[in-house]
Amino acid sequence: MRARIPALLLLALGVLVGCANTNLRGTGDLGVVIERATGSVQILDTTHRTSLAKVDGLGDLSHASISYSRDARYAYVFGRDGGLTKVDLLTQRIDRRIIQGGNSIGGAISADGKLVAVANYEPGGVKVFDADTLSLVADIPAIGSDGKHSKVVGLVDAPGHRFVFSLYDAGEIWVADMRDPSQPVLRKLTGIGKEPYDGMITSDGRHYAAGLFGEDGVALLDLWDLDAGVRRALVEFGRHGEKLPVYKMPHLEGWATTGSQIVLPAVGKHEVIIADQNSWKEVARIPVAGQVVFAVARPGGREVWLNFAFPHNDTVQVVDLPSRRIVQTLTPGKGVLHLEFSPRGEQVWLSLRDENRIDIYDPDSFARIGTLPAESPSGIFFTVRAHRIGL
Amino acid sequence: MRILTTAGMVIGMAFSSAFADSPPLDPQRQNELVRLVRQDCGSCHGMELRGGLGPALTPQILKDKPATTLVSTILHGRPGTPMPPWKNFLSESEADWIVDNLQKGFPDAR
């Protein structure tokens, strides 16, 4: 009897310790990769450079993107079929899933973590959901001043309880004040330029910039001073020479801001432009291998990594900002769709769609330091995004 | 309107007989085209071709449109819109094959 109690206690303790060892962990070194062909995601671990689990049943994930809950435990996956799926990185399961609308392109989460907003192409508009329950809180149809439905692109969260987005067909930027979540107050900026195809917010949360397809330059909004309206920046860029066909639209969420400089893909030009982040004036332009899709700054901001549209989507280039030179050209494989740095930038992960794998590079030596199988991988999203303004 | 439709049909017929005359695409190239359409056209039209920045390319939407116009859209693009020209990557008979399959219901990858 006396001997049995300590034995039981020991056993119980053992179980507890065992649980603690296997179940408790942080999420700061985790991430998710989208497997577009199979409607699944894999949960990634950047410390051990492994995949922890595969989660199925997320629907059509061509062009999916992700926002993270502010505790970096849940990934909200926005799918092309209008699916909104909340994936738990710790239990490695779908926590909740709804079909919110026709055809979504992306989303954002509010700074307080309470609202998840989804941008839809068809029917165009923004829907806002409760981040816990995924129940609908507000529906904002995007009907432009022309009275027509418009596709919504470039949705971001901005300081001051605001969501900001662009209307592709109507050429407008809307700022939705969400202080009363069920009654968004809209500020509509019209005539901002033709066909804004994507938008981004600077890392300080001050400027919203929409890239224009139908005109030169970017439409720029100072979120500290909405009354100043939208102004056009970088117009001179793109005015020279012939416009080349664009086989894939650049993504501006990856526009690299490096503190004082911003690196942008040109549209219809095989160039990147470096602009001063305060004046939004061009500082330099650099010829590159093709139409840039993502320009991603390495944390620290010394280099910017680029991937390209078809038919140059087997190539990755690295721009060194101090010397403004291409310091490396890699051909990691076919269909380089996305690249994502680990939080402090000592690794960069590339998704190689047509090779069905993810490759991990050391951005200092440019050596490949790991590879993982994945089915038609596209976006890679690490949890560090949970703490960035805008996403 | 009637006349237009008939004209469209005549062109359509001329086009399909031209298609019948050209050698059929080998299965490997067909697979490559399926992949190209789903992945690379899919970046604008959606992998399921139900639309994105570009319009849906489903049979319901395309079946009554003249194939010649669609083939020419693919080869030459639509200037002033994001639809790019594909003539450097696709032959006329390959574009014919793509339009024919888009109008019937596009095969799945692999």
Side-chain angles (χ1 to χ4, degrees):
Chain A
M1 193 57 189
R2 259 182 77 204
R4 242 160 78 196
I5 293 163
L8 267 176
L9 258 174
L10 263 178
L11 202 89
L13 257 174
V15 169
L16 272 176
V17 170
C19 279
N21 281 345
T22 51
N23 288 343
L24 279 182
R25 67 158 300 153
T27 59
D29 59 351
L30 299 186
V32 161
V33 62
I34 307 283
E35 295 181 299
R36 55 188 275 173
T38 46
S40 49
V41 297
Q42 286 189 44
I43 299 172
L44 307 170
D45 170 340
T46 58
T47 301
H48 303 96
R49 297 185 209 140
T50 56
S51 165
L52 299 179
K54 185 181 181 102
V55 181
D56 290 301
L58 283 82
D60 176 1
L61 294 184
S62 50
H63 249 81
S65 74
I66 280 182
S67 287
Y68 281 103
S69 62
R70 71 200 299 287
D71 62 4
R73 171 168 177 179
Y74 298 100
Y76 296 92
V77 185
F78 311 104
R80 248 299 160 77
D81 57 355
L84 168 59
T85 314
K86 187 178 174 189
V87 177
D88 186 335
L89 301 194
L90 292 179
T91 63
Q92 305 172 346
R93 276 202 282 270
I94 292 178
D95 179 71
R96 250 165 239 275
R97 174 172 162 79
I98 58 163
I99 298 292
Q100 56 80 28
N103 196 327
S104 85
I105 177 74
I109 188 164
S110 60
D112 62 8
K114 290 189 177 141
L115 302 172
V116 173
V118 186
N120 284 310
Y121 269 160
E122 207 48 70
V126 170
K127 285 189 180 170
V128 182
F129 297 90
D130 179 295
D132 287 331
T133 62
L134 301 191
S135 55
L136 185 70
V137 176
D139 187 356
I140 309 171
I143 297 169
S145 53
D146 56 359
K148 291 190 201 135
H149 262 280
S150 187
K151 299 182 190 81
V152 171
V153 299
L155 169 65
V156 302
D157 175 66
H161 300 277
R162 296 181 288 182
F163 287 121
V164 186
F165 49 92
S166 299
L167 277 61
Y168 171 82
D169 307 279
E172 298 180 16
I173 295 176
W174 288 13
V175 180
D177 184 320
M178 303 301 297
R179 269 173 296 186
D180 178 357
S182 60
Q183 306 282 332
V185 178
L186 298 174
R187 175 86 177 243
K188 302 176 181 176
L189 298 125
T190 56
I192 61 115
K194 275 197 206 123
E195 293 161 354
Y197 59 90
D198 200 2
M200 61 92 72
I201 185 168
T202 47
S203 50
D204 57 8
R206 174 163 184 183
H207 289 103
Y208 178 83
L212 301 174
F213 186 85
E215 279 177 60
D216 292 322
V218 301
L220 192 65
L221 178 62
D222 183 348
L223 296 167
W224 292 3
D225 184 10
L226 293 186
D227 292 336
V230 172
R231 69 186 170 95
R232 191 71 59 79
L234 302 170
V235 246
E236 66 281 11
F237 185 68
R239 279 268 163 86
H240 65 291
E242 185 202 349
K243 280 234 176 197
L244 300 167
V246 175
Y247 290 97
K248 186 173 182 180
M249 285 293 188
H251 278 259
L252 304 188
E253 185 223 287
W255 277 8
T257 53
T258 65
S260 57
Q261 294 182 327
I262 180 159
V263 180
L264 316 97
V267 191
K269 292 266 174 333
H270 296 179
E271 289 174 345
V272 287
I273 172 168
I274 303 178
D276 179 273
Q277 211 187 300
N278 293 314
S279 66
W280 286 83
K281 291 245 151 55
E282 178 180 326
V283 188
R285 63 179 79 150
I286 301 172
V288 296
Q291 169 66 53
V292 174
V293 178
F294 284 101
V296 184
R298 181 177 178 184
R302 170 159 188 181
E303 297 112 19
V304 173
W305 284 53
L306 313 170
N307 77 334
F308 301 95
F310 175 91
H312 304 105
N313 55 2
D314 59 347
T315 303
V316 167
Q317 287 191 314
V318 182
V319 182
D320 175 66
L321 281 180
S323 64
R324 294 182 188 149
R325 285 201 353 245
I326 304 284
V327 287
Q328 188 72 21
T329 299
L330 299 166
T331 43
K334 280 201 216 140
V336 184
L337 285 204
H338 196 218
L339 28 118
E340 177 93 332
F341 281 91
S342 57
R344 294 212 217 166
E346 85 295 353
Q347 302 167 30
V348 56
W349 293 46
L350 313 182
S351 54
L352 309 179
R353 180 192 66 201
D354 300 345
E355 312 282 352
N356 290 311
R357 59 170 213 263
I358 300 165
D359 279 357
I360 308 166
Y361 279 79
D362 174 341
D364 290 311
S365 66
F366 304 109
R368 193 175 83 161
I369 51 176
T371 183
L372 296 171
E375 285 183 71
S376 283
S378 59
I380 304 175
F381 304 90
F382 293 144
T383 54
V384 64
R385 289 170 176 257
H387 306 120
R388 282 197 197 136
I389 288 177
L391 310 180
Chain B
M1 192 58 206
R2 253 310 243 308
I3 297 164
L4 263 179
T5 326
T6 324
M9 274 173 61
V10 171
I11 295 169
M13 274 156 60
F15 152 75
S16 24
S17 55
F19 178 55
D21 288 346
S22 59
L25 299 177
D26 69 80
Q28 194 202 324
R29 184 60 187 154
Q30 290 185 17
N31 278 339
E32 284 168 13
L33 293 182
V34 169
R35 218 183 147 77
L36 176 92
V37 169
R38 294 233 170 245
Q39 305 285 0
D40 295 304
C41 311
S43 72
C44 287
H45 293 283
M47 218 164 70
E48 307 280 338
L49 307 174
R50 284 194 298 244
L53 189 81
L57 301 178
T58 52
Q60 301 90 287
I61 287 180
L62 295 184
K63 67 175 190 296
D64 295 328
K65 296 197 175 171
T68 37
T69 314
L70 299 175
V71 168
S72 143
T73 296
I74 294 174
L75 292 175
H76 307 291
R78 291 228 176 121
T81 82
M83 175 63 190
W86 292 84
K87 58 180 186 307
N88 291 349
F89 311 102
L90 296 170
S91 70
E92 199 156 337
S93 59
E94 288 169 346
D96 287 347
W97 185 90
I98 290 172
V99 167
D100 192 39
N101 280 279
L102 286 173
Q103 290 183 318
K104 288 197 305 220
F106 207 76
D108 280 326
R110 105 187 71 204

